[in-house]
Amino acid sequence: MKGKNARHLKTAILYFLMIVCTIVAFAPILWMTVSAFKPEGEILSYPPQWVPLEPTWANFAYVLKNFNFLRWTFNSVVAAVVATIIVIFIDSMAAFAFAKMKFKGNAVLYAVVLSMLMVPIQVTIVPLYLMFSSVKLLNTIPALILPTAGNVTGVFILTNFFKSVPRDLMDAAIVDGAGSFRIWWSIMLPLARPSISAVAIITFMSNWTNFLWPLVSVSSDASRTLPVGVAQFFGGQSGVSGSAPQYGPAMAAALMATIPAIAIFLFLQRYFVKGIMMTGIKG
Amino acid sequence: MTQIIIHLKVGEVMNGKKQHYRIIPYIFLIPYFFAFITFRFGPSIAGFFVSLTRWNIVGQAKFVGFQNFIDLFEDPNFIKSLTNTLYFMLLTVPALVIGGLLIAMLVDQKLRGRYVTRTFVFMPYVIMSTVVGVIWMWIFDTHFGILNYYLSFFGIKPIAWLSSINWAMPAVAIATIWWTIGFNMILFLAGLQDIPNELKEAARIDGASSWQVFWNVTFPLLSPTTIVVVMLTLINTFQVFAQVYVMTGGGPAMATLTVVQYMYVQSFQYYRLGYGSAIAYIVFIFLVGLILVERSILKKSGDIN
């Protein structure tokens, strides 16, 4: 009887901890959402209220009217989508060659690619800046896309996957007269769909959230991406100093920048998790 | 019989297209390698050469050898950024690793609603870094922030989180832990689910307590995951930048200036490209050092086994 009570108590504690974790994780997101709908007077009222008394769209209207928000969103979406498509094509081609073809230098080239996993992206920023500046591509969308195309993780994940594809499948296709491109396109790519989804999500998210390079490569407001745009709202060195921070519009902007990512995450949760495991396991 | 024929045919095709076959792999590699060399490999090497120069963007680059690296270690601001970054890591890494493991163990239990908790704990990770900064600036606001409001219930006077030298870094650390702990939880969860249940059951039948099962069965079997999580967390926290850029701009009085941020400031605000590149290469040296340590630890544990 006592054992049963102890077990009930343990279960109750575990549930309590789970609820605490959920609340702590979600509260800031909820607080951002609630604040975004509060009129200016209400947001600085004390004590803070979790429900807006007079919910309003004014903050959203303010952001859209006074900032190039839609333009930033457009830039971010285009850059992330195009970069993802490029990465899937060129990485899966290279990975197919690395995993399934015999050629001189295979191991060496692959080792050179993987060695870049050790080199942090920061060391490339100054040379990239000089390069894009010399070809007059700073402040353009290609500047936001191209550096992502040189990524390493995608090739790594897809090579590992293609290595696991049985040789027989390819041999059968060769017998049927399929060339390398046919094999890549109609056998390898469909087989790799789960891995490609994971690579797509990783690439999309890393481009979507990338900050340092877009901050450096883009100085005109019209070419900004969302992360850089949102950073301008207020803050240490980037904000308009001296003026009181406008939390309402900032939260509205933050919410608008967050909703697409959370929506994608909720729909594609499975692939997010898979992507993380694949990148995590690389060690 | 068919087997043999197929093999013959494959052999034929392979041999017949031998020349063909030699070129094709490179055709598959060219698009990627063009991007890789131009945007990743080339710049990484070039960065090293830039770090050996004194180069203000307008003037000529002047070769100075390792002078930038020597100067760095006599630059009090760089030393400050380095100690700040290590302090940030001290605040975040243990919390992210131990906290991530504990949450993973919690949501690994067969409890109703565990999937909901997993989803919510991971959710902040998909928010972009600067948005995380903006959200937490509001939460940390000294006079109207919700955190100080709840702390006042415990008789704590309003803390000037982001504008006080003592609290700015812990504040950035809190935001970062909230933002990234879900990532570690997922990795640990995957590791925990790879451990066969029979092993834990067997230990329990032998009379081991929950603590003993964890310490003697779960934790040792989880160590490959733990190593990966520790490494990734160290690497990511050493590169902290965006949160600090948004929340404090490195202030107050450089209390939150980090290494990557100092690299940004030197390279793109003072346009000291050589000096900035040298700082970037310090990040690289740190990573290589970490990996060497990891290798030696792995080798040692391998020897024991």
Side-chain angles (χ1 to χ4, degrees):
Chain A
M1 201 60 205
K2 203 182 164 199
K4 203 174 173 190
N5 275 340
R7 214 178 316 135
H8 279 311
L9 182 66
K10 195 187 151 201
T11 313
I13 292 174
L14 290 178
Y15 272 112
F16 173 75
L17 290 173
M18 239 167 63
I19 292 167
V20 169
C21 286
T22 312
I23 291 176
V24 171
F26 192 58
I29 298 176
L30 186 63
W31 185 235
M32 158 184 73
T33 312
V34 169
S35 304
F37 286 100
K38 282 183 177 175
E40 209 180 329
E42 217 179 291
I43 201 151
L44 297 182
S45 72
Y46 211 75
Q49 298 291 326
W50 279 93
V51 180
L53 297 173
E54 293 168 46
T56 169
W57 293 100
N59 293 321
F60 297 91
Y62 180 90
V63 171
L64 296 178
K65 187 166 161 272
N66 293 291
F67 295 91
N68 251 336
F69 196 87
L70 293 178
R71 179 77 212 192
W72 302 339
T73 312
F74 174 80
N75 294 338
S76 275
V77 171
V78 170
V81 168
V82 176
T84 306
I85 293 171
I86 293 176
V87 162
I88 288 172
F89 272 91
I90 68 178
D91 284 22
S92 67
M93 284 176 75
F96 177 46
F98 280 134
K100 284 285 179 257
M101 293 178 180
K102 280 201 185 103
F103 58 91
K104 240 190 185 162
N106 186 331
V108 175
L109 288 177
Y110 191 53
V112 169
V113 171
L114 287 197
S115 72
M116 284 294 120
L117 283 172
M118 252 197 307
V119 181
I121 207 80
Q122 287 88 351
V123 307
T124 65
I125 298 290
V126 166
L128 280 177
Y129 178 84
L130 294 168
M131 190 166 92
F132 277 89
S133 148
S134 69
V135 293
K136 304 254 180 314
L137 275 179
L138 290 178
N139 284 313
T140 63
I141 298 219
L144 301 170
I145 295 171
L146 290 172
T148 309
N151 87 98
V152 178
T153 341
V155 172
F156 175 70
I157 290 176
L158 291 172
T159 304
N160 275 351
F161 175 78
F162 288 146
K163 275 183 179 158
S164 74
V165 175
R167 188 85 225 172
D168 305 9
L169 276 171
M170 268 179 75
D171 289 347
I174 291 173
V175 169
D176 290 344
S180 302
F181 281 92
R182 270 279 301 285
I183 296 174
W184 167 69
W185 179 256
S186 28
I187 297 180
M188 289 301 180
L189 285 189
L191 276 177
R193 208 173 289 155
S195 299
I196 287 179
S197 313
V199 171
I201 286 185
I202 294 167
T203 312
F204 183 91
M205 288 302 291
S206 72
N207 194 288
W208 176 259
T209 59
N210 196 6
F211 181 64
L212 180 56
W213 172 245
L215 177 71
V216 167
S217 65
V218 164
S219 54
S220 79
D221 194 53
S223 309
R224 276 201 181 112
T225 59
L226 268 180
V228 183
V230 169
Q232 315 294 316
F233 269 77
F234 44 68
Q237 49 193 356
S238 50
V240 188
S241 54
S243 60
Q246 290 186 296
Y247 287 120
M251 290 306 121
L255 181 60
M256 286 191 282
T258 301
I259 283 173
I262 290 190
I264 293 175
F265 162 63
L266 290 177
F267 282 114
L268 303 176
Q269 219 182 116
R270 232 163 16 111
Y271 297 108
F272 265 90
V273 172
K274 207 177 155 69
I276 287 183
M277 288 175 183
M278 285 171 164
T279 44
I281 281 156
K282 86 189 177 203
Chain B
M1 188 63 196
T2 33
Q3 200 72 14
I4 295 167
I5 292 170
I6 288 175
H7 275 287
L8 275 175
K9 276 193 169 173
V10 172
E12 258 170 42
V13 173
M14 300 276 227
N15 294 335
K17 289 187 177 174
K18 213 171 180 183
Q19 254 185 335
H20 196 49
Y21 226 64
R22 240 183 260 145
I23 296 168
I24 283 189
Y26 300 107
I27 295 176
F28 272 84
L29 289 176
I30 281 171
Y32 173 71
F33 263 80
F34 173 74
F36 174 74
I37 303 271
T38 319
F39 304 115
R40 190 73 176 88
F41 187 74
S44 300
I45 306 294
F48 179 67
F49 289 106
V50 177
S51 78
L52 302 179
T53 65
R54 183 153 297 147
W55 192 355
N56 297 341
I57 198 155
V58 278
Q60 284 287 317
K62 189 175 157 237
F63 182 78
V64 293
F66 287 97
Q67 192 58 43
N68 285 325
F69 291 90
I70 296 166
D71 289 350
L72 268 179
F73 284 93
E74 284 162 7
D75 175 351
N77 292 345
F78 174 70
I79 301 296
K80 181 98 179 118
S81 77
L82 199 59
T83 51
N84 281 344
T85 306
L86 295 176
Y87 177 48
F88 173 78
M89 292 169 79
L90 188 73
L91 292 173
T92 51
V93 175
L96 283 170
V97 173
I98 297 168
L101 175 60
L102 290 177
I103 297 175
M105 287 169 64
L106 180 64
V107 296
D108 190 35
Q109 307 281 325
K110 301 266 172 297
L111 295 172
R112 218 182 280 172
R114 61 186 186 275
Y115 294 104
V116 178
T117 305
R118 284 180 204 173
T119 303
F120 277 105
V121 172
F122 182 73
M123 200 184 275
Y125 188 72
V126 306
I127 300 176
M128 46 183 73
S129 52
T130 51
V131 169
V132 170
V134 169
I135 295 174
W136 282 88
M137 280 182 78
W138 173 214
I139 293 173
F140 282 130
D141 188 278
T142 313
H143 303 294
F144 305 103
I146 195 153
L147 185 63
N148 275 348
Y149 171 69
Y150 285 122
L151 288 178
S152 73
F153 291 177
F154 303 96
I156 298 171
K157 291 217 177 76
I159 298 170
W161 288 100
L162 297 173
S163 48
S164 110
I165 289 176
N166 292 329
W167 287 107
M169 195 57 105
V172 175
I174 289 171
T176 306
I177 292 167
W178 173 79
W179 181 35
T180 57
I181 200 164
F183 179 83
N184 287 356
M185 171 195 76
I186 296 281
L187 287 177
F188 274 126
L189 198 55
L192 285 171
Q193 291 176 347
D194 278 347
I195 297 173
N197 248 327
E198 298 84 56
L199 289 175
K200 290 188 238 173
E201 284 307 317
R204 251 179 236 124
I205 289 167
D206 288 346
S209 67
S210 305
W211 174 250
Q212 285 169 326
V213 172
F214 171 76
W215 201 239
N216 297 316
V217 180
T218 313
F219 191 70
L221 289 172
L222 198 63
S223 58
T225 308
T226 311
I227 291 171
V228 170
V229 172
V230 170
M231 288 290 292
L232 288 177
T233 310
L234 288 170
I235 291 170
N236 290 332
T237 50
F238 191 76
Q239 302 180 23
V240 56
F241 172 59
Q243 306 94 291
V244 180
Y245 177 89
V246 172
M247 292 172 75
T248 63
M254 294 199 290
T256 56
L257 183 75
T258 65
V259 172
V260 172
Q261 193 187 8
Y262 196 50
M263 176 232 135
Y264 169 75
V265 169
Q266 287 294 335
S267 309
F268 297 104
Q269 287 185 342
Y270 301 141
Y271 287 107
R272 299 174 65 191
L273 300 180
Y275 202 61
S277 292
I279 301 172
Y281 256 84
I282 298 282
V283 179
F284 171 65
I285 292 165
F286 174 82
L287 283 193
V288 172
L290 260 187
I291 288 162
L292 290 179
V293 171
E294 184 208 23
R295 288 279 146 82
S296 75
I297 290 174
L298 283 180
K299 211 174 157 205
K300 234 181 231 163
S301 64
D303 288 345
I304 292 165
N305 290 339

